Amino acid sequence: EDQDEDEEEDSRLLRRVKSNKGEYARRQRSTKRRLRAIFFLTGFAFSIYMPFSVLFFQNSVGLSAGQIGFVASLQIVGGYAVGPAVSLLIDRFRIHQAVWMASLVLCIAPVECITLANSFAHAAAIAVSISCLTAPMSSLQDSCTLCFLGAESHQYGKIRLWGAIGWGLGSLAGGSIVEFLGIQYAFHLFGLTMLSVAATVFSLDFASIEMASEASRRNAPGGAASGDSSGDPFWR
């Protein structure tokens, strides 16, 4: 009788393990879909706004080729200037998800202001604003993706590929939108797309990474007992 009870208990434990593994696999599939959507939509959005911002500055504002080149460089230089400081603050206060979402939402405002520009100074101010607000976006997207993938980090390239697909489709869609509706609608679509990305980031279960990291640390040799925090997720 005792043996039967032991076998029944073993059977229950086995079913529970299988159930947990199945639940984890389902969560991972769902997370990968969200990550692919984030890369796709981000690539889609930027491929729409970037070329048509240059076109607007040239045709509507009347900037020269040299001025447009300077404005474009501000978007790169500004990101390098602001990025390291923002990264330090993010790591210090563990606010990765909040900053990622804020970056996605706040960058909409200067992009929407592109059609209000009527001088070189306005164009430069808009470029710097976009650069500063989007500075943490790329690094957070990459680092968070790798953390969510965990042991499947080798699939990062497959996830990132969707960014290139989004960029290509966005370039095709942007041309049609501008031709039939006007250039301002390219910037409106950028805003709507970035809101969709922010909503997707919000739906990601960041707590699951933290729990997995804590479990991994406890199971590692000298983990929790040694006080080693090397296994902590970067936002902890």
Side-chain angles (χ1 to χ4, degrees):
E1 184 178 349
D2 290 341
Q3 184 177 358
D4 292 340
E5 290 179 357
D6 291 341
E7 290 178 354
E8 185 178 349
E9 180 64 24
D10 290 342
S11 179
R12 282 198 298 268
L13 288 174
L14 181 60
R15 288 196 299 269
R16 189 179 305 166
V17 169
K18 289 181 178 179
S19 176
N20 290 339
K21 287 182 177 180
E23 180 63 25
Y24 174 77
R26 285 191 292 272
R27 285 203 305 268
Q28 279 296 91
R29 287 194 295 269
S30 177
T31 297
K32 289 176 187 177
R33 285 195 294 269
R34 287 175 169 84
L35 293 173
R36 285 192 288 266
I38 288 171
F39 274 92
F40 176 85
L41 292 172
T42 302
F44 186 91
F46 277 91
S47 71
I48 291 175
Y49 119 76
M50 292 184 71
F52 293 109
S53 64
V54 172
L55 187 64
F56 181 85
F57 290 146
Q58 183 179 31
N59 295 340
S60 300
V61 183
L63 300 188
S64 66
Q67 289 175 321
I68 291 175
F70 180 76
V71 169
S73 70
L74 288 177
Q75 297 191 46
I76 300 174
V77 174
Y80 282 125
V82 175
V86 173
S87 296
L88 287 174
L89 290 175
I90 292 172
D91 291 336
R92 173 66 180 81
F93 295 102
R94 314 304 190 190
I95 49 176
H96 295 74
Q97 185 181 26
V99 171
W100 191 4
M101 292 176 59
S103 176
L104 291 165
V105 173
L106 293 177
C107 72
I108 296 172
V111 171
E112 288 285 358
C113 289
I114 289 175
T115 54
L116 301 178
N118 54 25
S119 67
F120 171 69
H122 289 166
I126 289 171
V128 171
S129 298
I130 294 172
S131 176
C132 292
L133 292 172
T134 59
M137 193 181 300
S138 179
S139 60
L140 285 172
Q141 182 170 285
D142 290 338
S143 59
C144 291
T145 296
L146 288 170
C147 282
F148 275 109
L149 289 175
E152 298 179 282
S153 59
H154 59 279
Q155 295 191 19
Y156 171 76
K158 296 179 180 179
I159 301 292
R160 190 177 177 85
L161 173 64
W162 285 89
I165 295 173
W167 186 280
L169 293 179
S171 299
L172 293 174
S176 300
I177 290 169
V178 170
E179 182 178 358
F180 291 104
L181 298 177
I183 197 168
Q184 69 273 20
Y185 284 92
F187 306 134
H188 295 338
L189 183 57
F190 171 88
L192 291 173
T193 306
M194 296 308 277
L195 288 175
S196 299
V197 179
T200 307
V201 171
F202 180 74
S203 73
L204 289 172
D205 185 11
F206 279 73
S208 65
I209 305 179
E210 183 171 346
M211 289 187 294
S213 179
E214 288 178 350
S216 177
R217 189 174 68 256
R218 286 195 300 268
N219 293 331
S226 67
D228 180 15
S229 61
S230 60
D232 284 345
F234 52 77
W235 56 81
R236 183 171 171 80

